């Protein structure tokens, strides 16, 4: 029989093309030692030329690259418009978010001003709006309240509070710069979209809870430690009888106006070129009503109080405080960077330009370090303001300078006008701004339909952030997300494959109809890396799907052989056995019928092997070979092949590599089929119960082995 011509006919029939007639040779890669790499990088980084110095400065301040190329006629209108709009939005939000941070409104205005200027100089994104972010303000406020409770006021409550906030902000920025120096931006990769969304949503519930006391005008202490959401609500219901009716009425009116304006803005956003400055209008009207109605004097409504104009002289952060807030600054730094880089990359992709993640880390780091000397607290990019910025025609970060100018005007001239502004109005602005995050609950069914595991991660992060604490919620979310990945690789999907008719392709027999079974072979697919945590599941799945556990089968055969020998001895001694008993004994001694002679393992989804994985494959090869069953590997990537080589899977000098490893499943099937045909031709007797060992011969066939 001419196997070569037969295989060519099969190739023509299946239209798979002829198998390659040349050996596939691996490239020889020059190994460079770690010492040489370090020396090369040091030599390159330490070289000082005029050109290199210029590039370093321009890379550190990207504004020097794009500002000289600024197209004034094309960009200026969009930048001015978006800058003014963002500035108008920033002022009321900055004043409102001071409630979250537990600080005076003037410090929020300082933060908005300096953050915009510094990101203009150092940022690589054209559209990101950096400033006060509600989530970071909440995290800062929790630390400030804790330290005030523990230490009391050393130079007045407000002075001590801003000292804690600036120390925390300095450390967060320092951590971010260190992450940039050591290129640790990959840390943000562990904050998946589900974790970040869940963290923001859970923190939004905490923010909402923290503002309720301002809405109804009651005075309760800010809760500390774990479970602050539940503790706060308990305190609210205990003191609900003390609610200020003026604040309650004002809150209802302001929320109704703000929500109605937001809904109208969302419905007609295509027709509106700029968003409605609803927050500013509400603040102006509420301030006028409060001032002329004397709500503070008549109804004891809580107001913002005096907001000074101008700048306070710079001051060093409180370094004596830093050891107490060092741990709190870690999640602050990670969250701030994660939101900034994710927004930067999202808008860079949308508008077809690139951002540098490492430079973004430096930019947001210095947006925290430098302002901490000017009585500011932590900042990052914010989604809502960035969306508004892009929708109003922003082209470059010149818009950030315009926003800073608007904030500066308020700082220098308009700040005292907000003296009579009620705190409940600020709380209303904060609560309405949480609409986007709270609406995530409506997307849970769709999210669940899309991916159940991601939905579970989101839910765990939401409830741990809300019910335990924001920092613990972030940590729990990350750990649970990683645990889900481990579990999914521990119990991955497995399948037996069948052949698609008249093709050289194979698919899951459970999922597809009309697949052809491969005679005398089982094709097993394992859709995960093979490592120590899932090796037992791999073995159990393989044994279950093939219907044969080689260890148990070998033990049974040894036991049967022993019984057969004993039976023969008894027969030689003349033992009389009745006919039925003899038949039962003979049937019991027959080995289990095996309907396959080859197991092909599809390794296309096996991304890597560890030591336990290599040992597992070697044990499988040995155990099945003892039962005269051949084990072949197909579709291994180069790193898996290298691991197998290092583990001596192919024997000494890889002599058996061409018999055990194949580039495709079809190549392995053809190789097994040809060996079966050759074994049947060479054997004078048919194989009845077990498969006899096949000789390791170089057959000269065109089956696509690893060398073809």
């Amino acid at each position: 029989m001419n196997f070569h011509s037969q295989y060519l006919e099969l190739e023509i029939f299946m239209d798979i093309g002829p198998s390659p007639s040349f050996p596939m040779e691996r490239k020889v890669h020059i190994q460079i030692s770690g010492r040489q790499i370090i020396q090369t990088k040091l030599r390159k980084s330490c070289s000082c030329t005029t050109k290199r110095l210029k590039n370093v400065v321009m890379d550190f301040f990207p504004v020097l690259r794009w500002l000289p190329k600024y197209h004034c006629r094309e960009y200026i209108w969009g930048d001015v418009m978006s800058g003014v709009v963002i500035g108008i939005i920033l002022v009321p939000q900055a004043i409102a978010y001071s409630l979250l941070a537990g600080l005076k409104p003037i410090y929020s205005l300082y933060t908005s001003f300096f953050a915009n200027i510094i990101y203009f100089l150092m940022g690589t994104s054209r559209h990101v709006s950096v400033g006060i972010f509600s989530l970071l303000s909440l995290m800062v406020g929790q630390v400030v309240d804790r330290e005030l409770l523990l230490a009391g006021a050393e130079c007045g409550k407000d002075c001590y509070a801003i000292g804690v906030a600036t120390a925390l902000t300095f450390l967060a920025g320092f951590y971010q710069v260190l992450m940039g120096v050591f290129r640790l931006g990959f840390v943000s990769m562990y904050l998946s979209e589900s974790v970040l969304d869940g963290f923001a949503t859970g923190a939004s519930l905490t923010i909402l809870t923290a503002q309720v006391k301002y809405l109804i005008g009651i005075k309760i202490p800010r809760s500390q430690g774990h479970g602050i959401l539940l503790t706060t609500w308990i305190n609210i219901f205990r003191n609900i009888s003390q609610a200020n009716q003026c604040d309650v009425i004002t809150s209802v009116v302001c929320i109704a106006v703000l929500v109605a304006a937001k809904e109208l803005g969302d419905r007609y956003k295509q027709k509106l070129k700029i968003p409605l400055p609803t927050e500013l209008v509400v603040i102006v009207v509420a301030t006028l009503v409060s001032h002329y109605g004397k709500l503070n004097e008549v109804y004891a409504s809580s107001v913002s109080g005096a907001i000074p104009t101008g700048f306070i002289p710079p001051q060093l952060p409180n370094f004596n405080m830093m050891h107490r807030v060092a741990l709190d600054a870690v999640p602050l730094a990670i969250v701030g960077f994660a939101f900034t880089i994710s927004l930067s990359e999202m808008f860079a992709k949308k508008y077809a330009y690139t951002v540098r993640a490492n430079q973004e880390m430096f930019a947001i780091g210095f947006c925290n370090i430098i302002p901490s000397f000017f009585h500011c607290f932590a900042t990052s990019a914010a989604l809502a303001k960035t969306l508004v910025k892009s929708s109003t025609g922003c082209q470059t970060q010149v818009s950030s300078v315009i926003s800073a100018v608007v904030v500066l005007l308020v700082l220098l001239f308009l700040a005292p006008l907000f003296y009579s502004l009620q705190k409940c109005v600020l709380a209303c602005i904060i609560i309405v701004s949480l609409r986007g995050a709270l609406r995530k609950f409506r997307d849970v069914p769709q999210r669940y339909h899309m991916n159940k595991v991601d939905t579970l991660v989101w839910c765990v992060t939401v409830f741990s952030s809300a019910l335990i604490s924001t920092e613990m919620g972030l940590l729990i979310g990350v750990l649970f997300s990683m645990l889900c990945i481990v579990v999914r690789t521990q119990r991955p999907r497995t399948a037996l494959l069948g052949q698609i008719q008249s093709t050289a392709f194979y698919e899951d027999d459970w999922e597809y109809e009309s697949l052809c079974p491969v005679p005398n072979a089982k094709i097993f697919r394992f859709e995960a890396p093979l490592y120590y945590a899932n090796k037992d599941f791999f073995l159990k799945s393989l044994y279950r799907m093939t219907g044969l556990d080689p260890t148990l089968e070998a033990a049974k055969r040894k036991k049967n052989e022993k019984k057969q020998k004993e039976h023969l001895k008894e027969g030689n001694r003349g033992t009389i056995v009745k006919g039925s008993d003899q038949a039962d004994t003979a049937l019991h001694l027959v080995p289990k019928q095996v309907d396959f002679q080859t197991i092909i393992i599809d390794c296309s989804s096996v991304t890597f092997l560890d030591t336990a994985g290599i040992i597992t494959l070697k044990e499988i090869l040995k155990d099945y070979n003892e039962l005269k069953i051949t084990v072949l590997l197909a579709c291994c990537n180069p790193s898996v092949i290298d691991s197998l080589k290092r583990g001596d899977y192919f024997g000494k000098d890889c002599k058996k590599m061409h018999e055990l490893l194949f580039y495709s499943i079809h190549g392995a099937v053809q190789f097994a089929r040809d060996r079966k045909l050759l074994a049947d031709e060479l054997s004078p007797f048919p194989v009845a119960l077990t498969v006899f060992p096949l000789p390791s011969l170089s057959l000269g066939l065109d089956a696509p082995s690893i060398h073809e």
Side-chain angles (χ1 to χ4, degrees):
M1 183 180 292
N2 190 338
F3 295 111
H4 182 68
S5 60
Q6 194 177 48
Y7 181 59
L8 287 178
E9 289 175 5
L10 184 66
E11 287 174 338
I12 294 170
F13 175 70
M14 291 186 174
D15 193 23
I16 61 175
S19 58
S21 59
F22 55 88
M24 293 286 289
E25 297 289 341
R26 291 285 296 275
K27 290 183 177 181
V28 178
H29 298 284
I30 300 174
Q31 296 292 334
I32 303 176
S33 66
R35 183 179 178 182
Q36 290 176 320
I37 294 174
I38 293 173
Q39 287 178 345
T40 303
K41 287 188 175 182
L42 285 175
R43 193 180 300 114
K44 183 178 179 180
S45 60
C46 293
S47 61
C48 186
T49 61
T50 304
K51 183 178 179 181
R52 176 168 176 74
L53 186 61
K54 179 182 176 182
N55 288 334
V56 168
V57 173
M58 296 185 77
D59 285 342
F60 197 72
F61 296 102
V63 65
L64 299 177
R65 291 188 184 275
W66 61 262
L67 191 58
K69 303 174 184 177
Y70 187 81
H71 302 293
C72 190
R73 291 184 179 179
E74 184 179 352
Y75 294 161
I76 191 64
W77 174 248
D79 285 341
V80 170
M81 179 65 68
S82 62
V84 171
V85 171
I86 292 297
I88 292 172
I89 294 174
L90 267 177
V91 172
Q93 284 192 351
I95 297 173
Y97 288 160
S98 64
L99 295 180
L100 288 175
L103 302 169
K104 285 189 172 182
I106 189 65
Y107 301 128
S108 300
L109 295 172
Y110 290 160
T111 303
S112 298
F113 173 76
F114 285 106
N116 277 282
I117 295 295
I118 294 169
Y119 192 81
F120 162 76
L121 297 172
M122 301 186 66
T124 59
S125 173
R126 302 175 189 172
H127 297 86
V128 160
S129 176
V130 173
I132 294 178
F133 184 34
S134 59
L135 185 54
L136 295 187
S137 299
L138 173 69
M139 296 172 73
V140 170
Q142 289 176 341
V143 178
V144 168
D145 285 347
R146 184 195 69 201
E147 293 302 320
L148 282 174
L149 185 65
L150 292 176
E154 296 176 2
C155 59
K157 180 181 176 181
D158 295 328
C159 179
Y160 191 77
I162 191 60
V164 174
T166 54
L168 181 66
T169 302
F170 178 87
L171 274 181
F174 179 72
Y175 291 157
Q176 288 166 338
V177 171
L178 279 183
M179 290 169 69
V181 170
F182 294 104
R183 300 185 180 275
L184 299 179
F186 69 88
V187 172
S188 65
M189 293 165 51
Y190 294 99
L191 300 174
S192 65
E193 183 179 352
S194 299
V195 172
L196 286 175
D197 276 352
F199 179 57
T201 306
S204 297
L205 294 175
T206 305
I207 294 171
L208 172 65
T209 301
Q211 299 309 301
V212 172
K213 66 179 182 181
Y214 297 109
L215 287 181
I216 60 179
I218 62 175
K219 294 182 179 181
I220 57 174
R222 196 164 182 172
S223 303
Q224 295 295 323
H226 300 323
I228 59 175
L229 184 138
L230 297 176
T231 306
T232 303
W233 278 108
I234 291 171
N235 289 332
I236 288 170
F237 285 114
R238 283 178 178 173
N239 296 274
I240 194 71
S241 59
Q242 302 174 9
N244 188 300
Q245 293 182 0
C246 177
D247 286 343
V248 172
I249 295 172
T250 303
S251 298
V252 171
V253 173
C254 289
I255 289 178
V257 171
L258 288 169
V259 170
K262 293 290 183 183
E263 292 295 330
L264 289 174
D266 291 342
R267 182 173 297 182
Y268 299 105
K269 62 182 178 181
Q270 302 296 336
K271 297 180 180 180
L272 296 172
K273 293 185 178 181
I274 59 174
L276 298 173
T278 315
E279 291 92 343
L280 185 63
V281 173
V282 167
I283 281 183
V284 170
V285 173
T287 303
L288 292 174
V289 171
S290 176
H291 176 71
Y292 290 105
K294 298 183 179 180
L295 301 184
N296 177 244
E297 293 83 355
V298 177
Y299 300 101
S301 179
S302 179
V303 296
S304 298
I307 303 177
T309 57
F311 290 92
I312 302 173
Q315 185 177 354
L316 287 174
N318 189 350
F319 290 99
N320 295 327
M321 176 63 63
M322 290 185 183
H323 70 281
R324 299 175 63 172
V325 298
L327 195 59
D328 300 294
V330 175
L332 200 68
I334 294 175
V335 171
F337 166 70
F339 276 100
T340 301
I341 191 59
S342 59
L343 285 178
S344 299
E345 290 178 345
M346 182 174 73
F347 282 89
K349 183 178 180 180
K350 181 179 179 180
Y351 291 98
Y353 63 91
T354 59
V355 294
R356 289 184 285 127
N358 209 52
Q359 180 60 27
E360 286 295 296
M361 203 177 304
F362 283 126
I364 199 65
F366 281 102
C367 279
N368 286 321
I369 290 177
I370 297 175
S372 68
F373 291 84
F374 295 90
H375 311 280
C376 303
F377 55 92
T379 59
S380 75
L383 176 61
K385 291 191 284 290
T386 303
L387 288 172
V388 171
K389 198 173 183 178
S390 64
S391 65
T392 51
C394 171
Q395 299 291 332
T396 67
Q397 283 298 328
V398 168
S399 61
S400 295
V401 178
I402 305 299
S403 300
V405 171
V406 174
V407 176
L408 181 63
L409 291 176
V410 175
L411 276 169
L412 296 179
F413 306 107
L414 305 178
L417 299 179
F418 297 105
Y419 176 90
S420 298
L421 178 62
Q422 293 168 273
K423 288 185 177 180
C424 64
V425 177
L426 300 177
C428 292
I429 292 173
I430 293 173
I431 289 173
V432 174
S433 71
L434 301 175
R435 284 187 324 135
L438 297 176
R439 279 179 173 176
K440 299 285 184 181
F441 286 103
R442 295 193 311 183
D443 301 333
V444 171
Q446 181 183 358
R447 189 188 291 268
Y448 183 80
H449 177 72
M450 186 181 302
N451 192 299
K452 296 178 178 61
V453 176
D454 284 348
T455 306
L456 184 60
V457 171
W458 183 85
C459 291
V460 168
T461 310
V462 167
F463 291 110
S464 58
S465 299
L467 300 178
I468 303 176
S469 69
T470 51
E471 295 83 358
M472 287 299 297
L474 180 64
L475 179 61
I476 291 172
V478 172
L479 293 178
F480 186 77
S481 177
M482 296 174 69
L483 180 63
C484 288
I485 295 173
V486 172
V487 171
R488 292 171 79 175
T489 60
Q490 275 187 304
R491 301 186 66 84
R493 195 172 180 278
T494 56
L496 278 183
L497 308 186
Q499 186 175 17
I500 302 175
Q501 294 182 10
S502 304
T503 70
F505 303 104
Y506 300 79
E507 258 306 336
D508 187 353
D509 190 47
W510 178 263
E511 296 290 341
Y512 295 93
E513 298 284 352
S514 305
L515 295 181
C516 301
V518 179
N520 301 310
K522 299 283 187 181
I523 307 173
F524 176 73
R525 174 185 288 168
F526 189 72
E527 299 181 359
L530 182 56
Y531 67 113
Y532 69 94
N534 64 11
K535 63 181 180 63
D536 292 333
F537 181 77
F538 173 84
L539 291 174
K540 289 178 182 178
S541 301
L542 177 62
Y543 298 159
R544 175 173 49 84
M545 291 191 160
T546 58
L548 180 65
D549 185 335
T551 307
L552 295 178
E553 185 64 22
K556 287 179 182 179
R557 293 189 181 188
K558 288 181 181 179
K559 187 177 180 180
N560 289 336
E561 288 176 3
K562 185 178 180 181
K563 288 185 177 181
Q564 190 173 12
K565 289 178 182 178
E566 292 176 357
H567 180 70
L568 290 174
K569 287 180 181 179
E570 290 177 0
N572 292 334
R573 292 173 186 171
T575 305
I576 299 174
V577 182
K578 293 183 180 181
S580 60
D581 294 339
Q582 189 175 2
D584 292 340
T585 305
L587 182 63
H588 181 71
L589 295 175
V590 173
K592 181 181 178 180
Q593 181 72 32
V594 178
D595 61 347
F596 61 92
Q597 301 172 353
T598 305
I599 292 176
I600 300 170
I601 301 177
D602 177 12
C603 299
S604 57
S605 300
V606 180
T607 53
F608 68 86
L609 297 172
D610 69 351
T611 304
I614 297 170
I615 293 173
T616 301
L617 290 179
K618 291 175 73 174
E619 288 176 352
I620 289 172
L621 181 65
K622 176 178 174 294
D623 292 342
Y624 278 111
N625 282 345
E626 289 178 356
L627 300 180
K628 313 302 187 272
I629 296 175
T630 307
V631 178
L632 306 177
L633 304 181
C635 306
C636 296
N637 64 52
S639 65
V640 171
I641 295 174
D642 291 339
S643 298
L644 293 170
K645 284 181 178 179
R646 290 191 295 268
D648 292 331
Y649 181 84
F650 306 113
K652 192 175 181 180
D653 299 327
C654 299
K655 290 181 180 179
K656 295 183 180 180
M657 190 170 176
H658 67 287
E659 298 178 1
L660 301 176
L661 193 61
F662 296 85
Y663 284 121
S664 66
I665 298 174
H666 191 67
V669 170
Q670 287 299 108
F671 181 79
R673 186 176 297 168
D674 292 340
R675 290 190 69 176
K676 173 67 170 57
L677 292 174
L678 179 61
D680 289 345
E681 281 197 348
L682 294 178
S683 175
F685 303 104
V687 181
L689 298 176
T690 58
V691 181
F692 294 112
L694 301 179
S696 300
L697 302 176
S698 178
L699 302 177
L701 302 176
D702 282 340
S705 69
I706 196 68
H707 292 298
E708 296 185 353

